[in-house]
Every structure is written in structure tokens, then in C-alpha cells.
Amino acid sequence: MKTNQYDTDQWRGTDIKLALSMQKLYEGLCANKGLQYLIDQIGELFERPLILYDTSRKVLAATNDAEPVFHMTSGNEICFINEETVSWIHSSRIVDYASSALAQGTLCITITIDVIKVAELAVYEADIPFQEFDFLLINKLGALLSTQLQRSILLKLDHNQIPSSILADLIEGKPINDTILNNRGRYLKWARTEALYIAVVCDSRRGSFEGTKSAAFQALKRYIPIDQMIIYESSMVAFFDQILYDVLFDNGEGTFQRFLAENNLYAGISQRYAALTDSRKQYRYAIAALEIGLTRKRHCSFFNQCTLYILSELVSSQYDLMDFCHPAVTTLLKYDEEHGTVYFDTLKQYIYYASAPAEAARILNIHKNTLFYRIKKIKELTGITLDFGDEISKIFLSIRLLELN
């Protein structure tokens, strides 16, 4: 007679499921996706509400369905659970598989660092009796969460994690609760304007912010408040509104840009946007700007300024750029090479300063009449007129693509 035991095949299936589940969780840990990400993944495995709270009853992370069960309360932007809830979690704890179908309760595990209790994880049964897999899984989570909490302590990510979970959901493109979308001021208190931006910051190797980089992360908090940042896939991802954007970037090569350069950090900045549902797209744009900055050794790169770089890379990955050049451009390059002239640069400056030929002449260090003489000669050599926007734009794009490469 069997009593709460699986046969050999069932146990094998449970063990495989457990191994695959832990592998996925450790991949998330190694990818630096953060505490809330791990809790979300664990919640999907249990398919029940769960909460992680520290010894002061502060909520470190929770699943989206945890609040009605664990009665979280907010104060000074930090969520807590009360003593009665903690007492209920402990008193309703289910300690063995045999009793899991007999009571509506919780599975709990204590998280320790160097044998010191720092937090507890609680999973609520939610009218779904716990299975053997659930007991095996929760007993495997202590070391995983301890490692993540030690990482958070190293980086001093000790702020309330609930807003951070919203930020992670935004950049992952997860469906966002309508309440959050309609009341973002309540959940994202830093968003003082409709205009938002995303910045992705990393070092030159796209390495993590652990170890020697923790000091740089601490310094970043001087510029961007902690509740607007998360560590995601080995980079720091920051959200900010127009007010903070102006402070950081509207002063040219200011203090923040110097800080990035001095610490060998690189930042990619998204476009301005307003709809939170566009966060995933803008995160990708910030990544694209970051990668261009890394390639070209620019410590701060804005997506809006990277359009031609992106077009250049897309074109050059499949075509010879010279095949995209306007014939006038290739003609001038060849003529300059053969005759020692500077007609290519003359045409470039003339187009760049189309409405200010005097400025073009100043850049070229020639008289304005000399500029017009050269332009007349260029028209004779190439057959262009420079009278139509389509012709001018094709020539301009050809010059820029060549310059970027």
C-alpha cells in the first residue's frame, strides 16, 4: 500500500522537473536579472501567491497576486507586512507532504547569510494542495535567494523592491496592470512629467556591477535615485523624467558625462516617450545607442543621434557602401585623388551649411567667392545641379555613410 509516495517513474519525472526549474532560476541569477525577477520566476513554478520579507517585515519582493493574501501596507514608499500576518504565516505553515491536503496554509523557508537569518519566503496554498514538487522546490531555494540577497547587499539595493518589479516588467514587455497604467504617479512617484527616458549603463566589457563595479554603482546613485534603477542582464537600467533628463544632459558635456568617462562607463539613452507600454521598445533603442557608443568609444550615446550609424550598419552588413553612393560623390573622390583637389570636402561643407555659405567658406578657410567658384566646377564635373531636395539628400546621405565608415 502506497502512502504519499510516487512510483519510480513519477519520482523520476519530479526530479527532472525540479532540476530543470532550478537550472532556469540559476540562469536568471547569473544573468543579474534581479531579486524581483527571481521571485516572479519562482511564483510561476509554484503557481501561487508568494512573498519575500526581511526580519523587519519589510517586503523585499512579491508576486503580483500577493497583496490581498499577505496584506501589504505602504509607508514612506516602503511596503511592510504586519505582525499578525507573520504570525499567521508561521501558524499555518505546512511542514510535510502528508498534511498538505488537510489544511489551507503556507510553505515557508528561512533565508540566511552566514547562518544569520535575513529573510523569509512564504508561499500561500490558495486552495491548491501542495504537491511533492512544491516541498522539494522550496527546500532548494534557500541558497539561491541567499546569493541574490548578498548581491543586493553588496550593491546596497536595499530599497523597496515593488517599484523595481514594475520597471523590470516594463522593459521585458510584460502586460502591465491597468491600475498602474492609469495611476503611474502612485507607483512611479519620480515620474513628474509625461515625458520619460530609459538609459542603459555598463562598463566597456558589458560586465556586471558586482565586485569592483559596486563602487561605480554607488556613485551612480548621486545622479539617479535608487528607486529609478534596476540591475538587468549585467547592466544598470535607469528610468527618468524630463526634469532629471535636463539636469543630466542639457548642460553639454557636463558632470554626469564626465563621471561616465572617469569610471569607464558607457550609457545609451532612448528616445523620449510617454506611454509606459513603449518601454520595451525604448529599452531596445537604448541598447542600440549603447552598442554604438561602445564601438565608437563614446561614453554617452543618444538614440536620436545614432540614426545614421544604425542605417550605416544595416546597409554595410549586406551591401558594399560604395554601391549606395551618389555618382557625384564617387566622381569627386576619384578626381581629388588624381588631381590633389578638395572638391569632396567643399561639397560636403556647402551642403552642411546650405543656408549659410559664408559659414561653409569659413570652415574651409577660403573666401566665399572661392567657394562659389568650386561649386560651379563641381557641377561641371559631376552634372549635379543642387537645386532639388531629392538630389541634395542623396548626396548628403552618401557623404555621411562614407564618413561613418
Side-chain angles (χ1 to χ4, degrees):
M1 174 179 168
K2 295 179 182 178
T3 58
N4 302 316
Q5 297 292 325
Y6 288 109
D7 60 27
T8 303
D9 290 337
Q10 287 175 310
W11 272 109
R12 186 177 300 117
T14 301
D15 291 341
I16 291 173
K17 180 181 178 181
L18 180 65
L20 292 175
S21 299
M22 292 306 300
Q23 178 181 346
K24 181 179 180 181
L25 293 175
Y26 273 104
E27 287 174 353
L29 176 71
C30 294
N32 267 335
K33 292 191 174 183
L35 180 60
Q36 184 61 48
Y37 175 86
L38 288 179
I39 290 300
D40 288 339
Q41 294 296 305
I42 293 169
E44 290 179 8
L45 294 173
F46 279 112
E47 297 182 325
R48 299 172 178 86
L50 60 85
I51 189 170
L52 180 69
Y53 57 95
D54 67 14
T55 53
S56 68
R57 295 182 281 104
K58 181 173 70 175
V59 178
L60 302 177
T63 53
N64 291 332
D65 53 359
E67 186 169 357
V69 176
F70 297 103
H71 308 296
M72 294 183 284
T73 58
S74 297
N76 297 324
E77 302 183 12
I78 299 176
C79 288
F80 291 89
I81 57 175
N82 58 37
E83 292 184 9
E84 290 77 11
T85 300
V86 174
S87 297
W88 167 74
I89 290 172
H90 292 165
S91 64
S92 63
R93 181 180 181 181
I94 301 171
V95 296
D96 58 62
Y97 181 46
S99 61
S100 65
L102 304 178
Q104 189 178 68
T106 59
L107 287 184
C108 303
I109 188 171
T110 297
I111 314 301
T112 63
I113 296 178
D114 294 333
V115 306
I116 298 173
K117 177 181 176 179
V118 294
E120 285 187 327
L121 176 71
V123 185
Y124 178 56
E125 185 182 11
D127 293 323
I128 307 172
F130 290 116
Q131 303 298 313
E132 191 76 21
F133 169 78
D134 302 313
F135 286 88
L136 294 172
L137 177 61
I138 199 164
N139 287 325
K140 290 285 188 180
L141 296 177
L144 177 85
L145 292 174
S146 177
T147 300
Q148 179 59 56
L149 287 174
Q150 289 180 69
R151 176 180 295 167
S152 298
I153 292 170
L154 171 66
L155 299 176
K156 297 186 179 177
L157 295 175
D158 52 1
H159 201 67
N160 175 39
Q161 296 292 319
I162 300 304
S164 297
S165 69
I166 297 175
L167 302 184
D169 288 346
L170 288 173
I171 62 178
E172 290 179 359
K174 291 183 178 179
I176 303 299
N177 187 289
D178 288 340
T179 301
I180 296 173
L181 291 176
N182 297 330
N183 301 281
R184 71 179 189 177
R186 173 187 171 189
Y187 294 93
L188 306 176
K189 293 181 170 56
W190 47 266
R192 298 158 291 180
T193 66
E194 286 297 312
L196 301 176
Y197 299 84
I198 292 176
V200 180
V201 183
C202 72
D203 64 14
S204 59
R205 298 173 293 103
R206 290 297 297 272
S208 73
F209 279 87
E210 297 180 54
T212 59
K213 285 300 174 188
S214 62
F217 185 91
Q218 293 303 309
L220 274 171
K221 295 197 294 185
R222 299 203 308 265
Y223 302 95
I224 305 171
I226 188 68
D227 58 350
Q228 296 171 227
M229 298 190 291
I230 59 173
I231 299 293
Y232 186 80
E233 294 187 348
S234 297
S235 298
M236 190 280 292
V237 182
F239 288 67
F240 38 83
D241 60 9
Q242 188 67 53
I243 295 173
L244 182 56
Y245 178 92
D246 293 342
V247 171
L248 294 177
F249 304 114
D250 261 13
N251 55 354
E253 295 296 320
T255 305
F256 183 64
Q257 288 88 327
R258 288 197 298 272
F259 160 78
L260 294 173
E262 290 168 359
N263 288 276
N264 196 30
L265 297 177
Y266 292 79
I269 317 299
S270 74
Q271 292 176 318
R272 181 175 65 182
Y273 71 105
L276 289 176
T277 50
D278 286 340
S279 297
R280 175 62 179 172
K281 178 177 72 174
Q282 294 301 330
Y283 169 72
R284 294 199 302 268
Y285 289 174
I287 289 290
L290 172 66
E291 290 175 346
I292 288 171
L294 286 167
T295 301
R296 302 182 182 277
K297 302 300 181 184
R298 295 184 176 180
H299 290 279
C300 194
S301 299
F302 300 84
F303 183 81
N304 286 341
Q305 298 174 3
C306 293
T307 306
L308 285 173
Y309 291 103
I310 295 170
L311 288 175
S312 173
E313 291 180 359
L314 289 174
V315 172
S316 61
S317 66
Q318 299 186 52
Y319 303 96
D320 185 339
L321 281 178
M322 293 303 295
D323 294 336
F324 279 77
C325 279
H326 191 283
V329 174
T330 54
T331 298
L332 291 179
L333 286 171
K334 184 177 180 180
Y335 191 90
D336 284 348
E337 184 178 359
E338 292 176 351
H339 297 86
T341 52
V342 288
Y343 288 146
F344 173 83
D345 197 43
T346 299
L347 179 61
K348 180 182 76 172
Q349 299 301 337
Y350 182 76
I351 290 178
Y352 281 8
Y353 296 96
S355 60
E359 181 64 16
R362 186 189 68 79
I363 295 295
L364 292 166
N365 197 29
I366 59 176
H367 192 275
K368 188 163 64 170
N369 290 339
T370 304
L371 172 66
F372 291 138
Y373 170 80
R374 288 185 184 177
I375 294 300
K376 180 182 177 183
K377 181 67 174 177
I378 287 169
K379 290 178 179 179
E380 294 172 354
L381 286 170
T382 62
I384 60 176
T385 66
L386 299 180
D387 292 333
F388 304 102
D390 184 60
E391 180 186 62
I392 294 172
S393 64
K394 288 178 180 178
I395 294 172
F396 172 79
L397 182 60
S398 299
I399 293 172
R400 291 295 287 137
L401 287 176
L402 286 175
E403 286 187 325
L404 294 176
N405 287 272

